[in-house]
Amino acid sequence: MRGRTARALFVLSLPLVPILAFIAAPLPPHLLDYRPITSVKILDRDHNLLRELRSREDGRSTPLTTDELTPSVRAAFLAAEDHRFPHHLGVSPTAILRAAKQNLTAGRFIAGGSTITQQLARTLVPRERTLLGKAQEALWALRLEAHLSKDEILTQYLNRVPFGNNTFGLEAASQLYFGKRARHLSLGQAAMLASIPRGPTAYDPIRKPERLAQRRAWVLDRLEKTGLSTPEVVATARAEPLDLTLFAATFKAPHFVAWIASHLDQWGLAEAAVVETSLDAHLQESVEEQIAQEIGRLTDRRVSSAAALVVDNDSGEVLAYAGSADFFNANIGGQNDGIQMHRQPGSALKPFIYAEAFKRGFTPATVIPDLDTSFSAPKGAYSPKNYDRRLHGPVRAREALANSYNVPAVRVADEVGLGNALEVLRRAGFESLKAGAEHYGLGLALGNGEVSLWEAARAYSGLSRGGVTRPLIPVLRAWTADGREVPLRRELKPRRFADPRAANLVTHILSDNAARARAFGVDNALRLPFPAAAKTGTSKGYSDNWTVGYTKERTVAVWAGNFDGTPMIQVSGITGAGPVFKRVMTRAMKGLTPRPLVNRDGLEAASICPLSGQLAGPNCPAAMEELFIAGSGPAHRCEMHGELSASLSPELKQQCLQLAAAEGRLADLGLDFYDWAKNEGLSREPWLAAACLGSGETHAGAQVLHPASGGEFLLISDLPLADQAIPVRVRAAPSMGLLSVYVDGARALELAPPFTGRVPATQGAHVLEVRDRSGAVLDSVRFVVRR
């Protein structure tokens, strides 16, 4: 008999084995993960909220820890949902029987008798509202009770329960409805929040406060009846008004926040619940204000927007980030981010190419011909033009960069080598320049490649550090919902892109207000009350303009223009982005003591002639101090200025004295600049000065400047052939006297200084030769005339 009883009990217990095994099994590893419901708080550097990003479940939630649950909160929620919670094992038979009776009486499913543990189980493992689903819910509740403490279960429940208005969890609800942390809730406030989960829509504090008040009164009654609170404390809670203090959704620095949100995964912050950024909220507000004011001033010039970025140079931290004039203005495309978009920066790329040139032997005193020049290129001849449509003759590199002359910049890029120029730009941080050097051509020096304002700020900040690129840092720290700090990924590793001495020469030039006065005037937007280096850039067609600059402490990068590409009306970097730059930089430096901008270690000074760039001599009309990389300064005295030669004939001496009296000086600019000086009206006979100074004998040989070798000309059919001719221009020393021009072996004309003339245009291929008095060929070119 005893054996049959044992066997019967064993058979009856068999169905319990899988149930007990299920309950005993460890909880799935991600079951209690808060990430699906946790929103992400984006904070500024002072821990003020910029924006709260909704969770994957399209809600707002901030998990609490068990230590943050106050007695008032515990009591209110137990009274409202499950006053036997501390004593049951996850399922309450009494509650189930009571719910079954209510369902039978109603003839439909109206109550579930769920404990707090069962409600948590239903949230973690959703099920259908059927008897089978109810059984599954009960099993999961038993499993949770087997592996978690009561405090852990209650904390998980309070962090996940919905409170309406896309809000999950007690902490988020407390901040939304009362503007305070959950640990500061009174009993009356806790009772109000405990009233909502039973029906977040039915008891919506915003839309249905009357029903909510009735529900709160019921919860307070339950607190007293269940003994979870004393009558005196409950009476005080009843006297409390609902006193809702709705938390207004914060959306500050919208472009910055949106960009941060889009990069969380890329930076390894997918699990982050709190992200502390580097943004200075006060500076951000000021920057937005300055942009709005300046764009208002430029409306009649067809400028609708601007963007500005402020960086701390020591740390690389981003202090202000304004992507447009108004994020919420659809008429100007306000939600476009002018900091991350790719546009042509114009002349803003020039400083990096000059830095490379200074490393390779150029100096700020190197004279660069700013003359009409055609550069050979794979896609055809390239003839750059200056912004002011003028040619400036001999210009020193300092003048050329400070005044942003295009032709000298292209010459420098050509000398440096296009591949080298592109490489230094990439090392400086312009990673958007992904195409090969042949794609950009020499126009790269003038900014024909598209880059972002972010890259420009990063590169110029590198100049402030003597030629070292470092990552910009928009995020300082980040934490998961459970308080664990998340390691950050930076955008790049620090690297050197320029010789430190060359970078400091560039900084010195970009901060030289006198050097840029010729193009921008003395009182310009780049002139600040503290040392600052700055460069402007204007894209072709006036569709974009830039100003980027730095002090030792801050870098500011500004773009102005129209997101739809509409051209501005004669607005350049100095008149569009420049004034915004000045306003923003002034505010970025507020309260700071400016440090010396230029590090002179490894540099030396010399007194030079401003015209020749050589050491100033006794006959130079002026002298100026110039900086050089140690050992690279000029070794010779100025050769452009001198005294009258002692070997002049009386007739030539008289001519020289007349020339000196008329022009106030005698200067031999050199063969390259003779025609330019005459065309500019600077000298009636520039070639005569060489003879007067006795320097003409140093120029040997002759060169045909026009027609260019391989040039092609087209005859005009409706113009008489006698009126069609080809200009001839030869560079040669005046002392050479007469030169003969031969075309196809026949003498065509004789040339005297300045060696210009014309030869008849006849159809066919031709050879043009220049010969001296003895008949020796000095130079020759081939050209073609077509009909």
Side-chain angles (χ1 to χ4, degrees), residues 294-295 297-298 301 303 387 519-520 524-526 536-538 542 545-547 560 568-581:
E294 274 302 317
I295 293 304
R297 183 183 64 83
L298 292 169
R301 306 290 293 277
V303 182
Y387 176 79
F520 302 118
N524 57 69
L526 306 184
T536 62
T538 303
Y542 294 98
N545 62 63
W546 306 50
T547 299
M568 297 170 282
I569 301 175
Q570 297 294 308
V571 176
S572 65
I574 197 69
T575 57
V580 178
F581 167 83

Side-chain angles (χ1 to χ4, degrees), residues 333-403:
Q335 292 190 22
N336 287 298
D337 188 345
I339 291 173
Q340 299 301 331
M341 72 176 182
H342 290 174
R343 293 290 184 96
Q344 291 187 356
S347 298
L349 299 186
K350 290 176 182 175
F352 304 93
I353 297 175
Y354 275 88
E356 183 69 9
F358 292 153
K359 185 184 82 171
R360 293 172 176 267
F362 274 70
T363 75
T366 299
V367 173
I368 307 170
D370 184 7
L371 301 172
D372 195 10
T373 309
S374 181
F375 296 89
S376 60
K379 297 180 181 179
Y382 178 54
S383 300
K385 304 297 179 186
N386 288 323
Y387 176 79
D388 59 6
R389 297 296 170 182
R390 292 187 56 193
L391 296 170
H392 306 93
V395 294
R396 288 171 289 110
R398 174 176 292 272
E399 297 175 284
L401 176 56
N403 292 285

Side-chain angles (χ1 to χ4, degrees), residues 649-660:
S649 65
E651 181 181 354
L652 183 55
K653 184 175 182 179
Q654 185 62 34
Q655 287 180 279
C656 293
L657 292 173
Q658 291 174 354
L659 181 65

Side-chain angles (χ1 to χ4, degrees), residues 110-303:
I110 61 172
S114 295
T115 64
I116 283 177
T117 311
Q118 286 176 278
Q119 293 182 53
L120 174 61
R122 184 167 62 243
T123 301
L124 296 173
V125 187
R127 50 83 181 174
E128 296 182 0
R129 291 175 65 85
T130 64
L131 287 176
L132 178 59
K134 194 68 178 176
Q136 292 172 337
E137 176 186 292
L139 287 173
W140 272 104
L142 293 170
R143 189 173 179 181
L144 290 172
E145 291 276 352
H147 293 280
L148 301 176
S149 69
K150 286 290 185 180
D151 279 347
E152 289 172 329
I153 291 172
L154 182 60
T155 302
Q156 283 280 337
Y157 167 76
L158 289 177
N159 281 334
R160 297 174 184 277
V161 66
F163 285 88
N165 297 297
N166 295 309
T167 302
F168 296 88
L170 180 64
E171 179 66 23
S174 179
Q175 293 187 23
L176 174 63
Y177 297 124
F178 294 113
K180 62 170 64 175
R181 300 292 301 274
R183 61 172 175 257
H184 300 308
L185 290 170
S186 67
L187 181 62
Q189 292 169 333
M192 192 212 86
L193 293 178
S195 304
I196 300 174
R198 183 54 60 95
T201 301
Y203 303 114
D204 188 324
I206 300 172
R207 297 170 182 81
K208 298 179 180 179
E210 297 83 6
R211 291 194 65 181
L212 177 64
Q214 295 172 3
R215 174 73 178 168
R216 187 185 77 149
W218 179 86
V219 172
L220 291 172
D221 287 343
R222 292 283 296 169
L223 277 163
E224 186 174 345
K225 288 178 181 178
T226 58
L228 290 166
S229 188
T230 65
E232 295 78 16
V233 173
V234 170
T236 301
R238 285 195 184 101
E240 291 183 36
L242 288 181
D243 68 351
L244 293 178
T245 307
L246 292 179
F247 174 73
T250 301
F251 193 11
K252 298 178 180 178
H255 288 97
F256 180 67
V257 169
W259 182 70
I260 290 288
S262 68
H263 283 71
L264 291 178
D265 286 355
Q266 180 180 327
W267 297 333
L269 302 180
E271 297 183 9
V274 179
V275 177
E276 178 191 334
T277 72
S278 59
L279 203 75
D280 182 326
H282 297 294
L283 180 60
Q284 174 73 21
E285 184 177 350
S286 180
V287 168
E288 291 174 356
E289 180 183 340
Q290 302 315 310
I291 289 176
Q293 290 180 6
E294 274 302 317
I295 293 304
R297 183 183 64 83
L298 292 169
T299 300
D300 61 339
R301 306 290 293 277
R302 211 159 58 202
V303 182

Side-chain angles (χ1 to χ4, degrees), residues 618-638:
N619 297 298
C620 295
M624 63 174 288
E625 183 183 90
E626 183 57 275
L627 288 181
F628 300 88
I629 292 175
S632 69
H636 304 289
R637 288 189 179 275
C638 174

Side-chain angles (χ1 to χ4, degrees), residues 23 68 113 302 381:
I23 293 172
E68 293 177 296
R302 211 159 58 202

Side-chain angles (χ1 to χ4, degrees), residues 15-45:
L16 296 177
V17 173
I19 294 175
L20 294 174
F22 175 80
I23 293 172
L27 296 176
H30 299 295
L31 183 69
L32 304 179
D33 193 348
Y34 284 125
R35 280 181 293 174
I37 62 165
T38 303
S39 53
V40 181
K41 286 185 171 64
I42 309 294
L43 311 178
D44 67 17
R45 68 188 301 113

